[in-house]
């Protein structure tokens, strides 16, 4: 049994998950800081009264905190690794420890937690309950991850995915949070209706921003309006079905065939145009301007973070809400082209009942 599975290790892990010092836990439990330290180090078996107080403060039962631990179940791959050996990240999601094959991250190179070789895992001793997993397509998500890490000491692990794929991972219980921008231009309910169609559990939508999506154009393309781009023989780069940008693209093309060549994300669209592989594509104003491209706005839409309501009290989710509502994060978003954080932190709870079966 590793230290984090021993009673003292469980006390420490739950304390750190809430970003409490030993003094804070001692104050909440009504015992001394020295006693908390001794319990965490395994040098003191607490009295019944102290054990009850610690369990109450940490929001669990005495049995969960100090009972004899069952041999911990082995971690599971979120999806099969594509190579061997394979570096991986690790996180606790819905009571399971999941391993994620390392992939390209919007935050650059993110340190891995271990390596799998021939089915044998070599991993560090970090607590997987201190990682929050977010799947999204927000090109500015690095700002959120940076402030989250600095204010909580925990990690926000970001998997770059379109809105549809992010919600599929959420539905499968493989991530904590999915980023969503799927509302069509004519829909008044924002992202709620699209989310209702793709998930089967009650969820909460946390507004991050309203952002501008539109058509990015290669330098030299003479177009003053979106309509004028449709009258020109331009080479377009598309996005996959299920992405918010694809919905916007379909509206722009108005029934014309979708492009065959697809980009992975908003920056992929801008990069394809910047490198000359395409002349037009739909992306966010932020990525279009970053690449030095012309940009014609199409619409302003809401971007939300979606998570199961049953996880709303998870300290990691609570920390995420605080960061989204924080002044430093909102200020940084306001300084980005096309981002409006006025509504940041607003919450919408969706009750999604069981679906009727045919």
């Amino acid at each position: 049994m590793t230290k984090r599975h021993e009673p003292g290790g469980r006390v420490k892990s739950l304390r750190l998950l809430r970003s409490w010092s030993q003094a804070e836990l001692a104050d909440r439990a009504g015992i001394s800081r020295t006693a908390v330290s001794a319990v965490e180090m395994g040098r003191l078996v607490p009295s019944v009264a102290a054990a009850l107080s610690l369990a109450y403060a940490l929001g669990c039962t005495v049995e969960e905190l100090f009972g004899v631990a069952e041999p911990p179940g082995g971690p599971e791959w979120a999806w099969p690794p594509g190579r061997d050996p394979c570096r991986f990240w690790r996180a606790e999601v819905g009571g399971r420890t999941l391993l994620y094959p390392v992939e390209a991250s919007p935050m650059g190179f993110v340190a891995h937690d271990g390596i799998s070789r021939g089915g044998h895992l070599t991993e560090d001793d970090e607590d997987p309950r201190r990682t929050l997993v977010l799947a999204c397509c927000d090109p500015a998500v690095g700002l959120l991850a940076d402030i989250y890490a600095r204010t909580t000491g925990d990690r926000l692990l970001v998997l770059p995915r379109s809105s549809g794929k992010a919600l599929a991972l959420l539905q499968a219980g493989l991530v904590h949070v999915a980023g969503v921008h799927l509302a069509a231009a004519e829909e008044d309910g924002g992202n709620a209706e699209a989310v209702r169609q793709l998930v089967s559990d009650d969820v909460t939508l946390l507004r991050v921003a309203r952002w501008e999506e539109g058509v990015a154009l290669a330098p030299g393309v003479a177009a003053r309006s979106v309509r004028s781009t449709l009258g020109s023989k331009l080479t377009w780069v598309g996005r996959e079905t299920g992405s918010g940008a694809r919905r916007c693209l379909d509206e722009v093309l108005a029934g014309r065939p979708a492009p065959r060549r697809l980009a992975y994300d908003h920056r992929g669209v801008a990069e394809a145009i910047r490198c000359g592989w395409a002349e037009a594509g739909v992306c966010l104003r932020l990525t279009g301007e970053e690449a030095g491209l012309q940009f014609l706005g199409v619409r302003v839409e809401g971007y939300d973070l979606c998570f199961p309501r049953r996880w709303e009290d998870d300290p990691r989710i609570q920390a995420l809400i605080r960061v989204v509502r924080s002044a430093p994060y909102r200020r940084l978003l306001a300084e980005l082209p096309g981002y409006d954080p006025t509504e940041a932190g607003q919450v919408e709870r969706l009750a999604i009942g069981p679906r009727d079966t045919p």
Side-chain angles (χ1 to χ4, degrees):
M1 187 186 300
T2 61
K3 290 183 178 180
R4 67 176 179 270
H5 295 116
E6 296 172 350
R10 295 199 291 270
V11 172
K12 182 177 181 179
S13 293
L14 290 173
R15 173 177 65 78
L16 292 176
L17 190 61
R18 289 156 175 77
S19 299
W20 295 347
S21 66
Q22 290 183 339
E24 286 178 288
L25 175 56
D27 183 61
R28 292 170 183 267
I31 61 178
S32 70
R33 189 204 63 79
T34 303
V36 170
S37 176
V39 169
E40 290 187 353
M41 295 178 68
R43 296 177 178 174
L44 173 67
V45 177
S47 66
V48 173
L52 287 169
S53 297
L54 285 167
Y56 181 81
L58 292 168
C60 60
T61 67
V62 174
E63 289 75 15
E64 291 171 334
L65 196 57
F66 294 104
V68 176
E70 295 291 333
E76 311 169 43
W77 286 102
W79 43 83
R83 62 183 63 85
D84 184 48
C86 177
R87 292 172 293 122
F88 61 81
W89 296 306
R90 182 180 57 190
E92 180 275 325
V93 182
R96 297 185 296 163
T97 298
L98 298 179
L99 306 180
Y100 300 85
V102 167
E103 59 185 83
S105 166
M107 285 126 31
F109 192 84
V110 178
H112 54 279
D113 300 331
I115 300 176
S116 172
R117 287 188 177 91
H120 176 72
L121 302 181
T122 302
E123 51 188 321
D124 60 28
D125 201 42
E126 293 298 318
D127 192 339
R129 292 175 295 183
R130 301 199 63 189
T131 293
L132 180 71
V133 186
L134 163 63
C136 73
C137 67
D138 179 10
V141 70
L143 299 176
L144 180 64
D146 178 64
I147 296 178
Y148 186 90
R150 286 192 284 113
T151 58
T152 68
D154 293 344
R155 176 176 63 179
L156 179 59
L157 180 61
V158 180
L159 305 176
R161 298 291 188 277
S162 67
S163 297
K165 286 188 174 180
L167 286 173
L169 292 179
L170 187 75
Q171 172 73 6
L174 298 177
V175 299
H176 298 102
V177 186
V180 185
H181 67 112
L182 285 174
E186 68 276 5
E187 292 175 349
D188 296 327
N191 293 309
E193 187 55 38
V195 169
R196 289 181 191 277
Q197 300 302 316
L198 295 172
V199 300
S200 58
D201 197 4
D202 294 351
V203 297
T204 298
L205 296 181
L206 173 67
R207 175 56 51 90
V208 174
R210 293 181 67 79
W211 60 26
E212 188 176 5
E213 195 163 30
V215 177
L217 297 169
V221 173
R224 296 181 177 274
S225 68
V226 173
R227 183 183 295 275
S228 65
T229 65
L230 301 178
S232 306
K233 293 183 178 180
L234 300 178
T235 302
W236 287 74
V237 58
R239 287 290 309 279
E240 66 190 70
T241 300
S243 66
R246 175 58 181 269
R247 289 198 175 197
C248 183
L249 176 63
D250 288 344
E251 293 173 17
V252 168
L253 296 180
R256 295 171 175 80
R260 291 185 178 181
R261 293 185 177 181
L262 304 181
Y264 188 64
D265 55 19
H266 294 285
R267 282 202 171 96
V269 170
E271 186 67 9
I273 299 170
R274 189 182 70 83
C275 292
W277 302 330
E279 297 169 288
V282 167
C283 63
L284 299 183
R285 176 177 288 278
L286 172 64
T287 54
E289 291 195 7
E290 276 184 338
L293 306 176
Q294 302 179 68
F295 186 85
L296 301 173
V298 172
R299 67 185 191 185
V300 174
E301 59 188 14
Y303 169 60
D304 297 317
L305 299 181
C306 176
F307 52 85
R309 286 178 61 181
R310 67 180 183 276
W311 294 348
E312 196 167 311
D313 291 331
D314 188 308
R316 293 167 293 186
I317 295 290
Q318 288 296 310
L320 178 68
I321 296 172
R322 289 194 299 271
V323 171
V324 170
R325 291 174 174 172
S326 68
Y329 180 60
R330 291 162 61 98
R331 176 182 56 77
L332 288 172
L333 285 189
E335 295 171 351
L336 298 178
Y339 279 65
D340 177 5
T342 303
E343 300 172 351
Q346 293 183 9
V347 166
E348 181 180 6
R349 294 178 175 86
L350 304 182
I352 302 176
R355 304 197 188 286
D356 296 330
T357 54

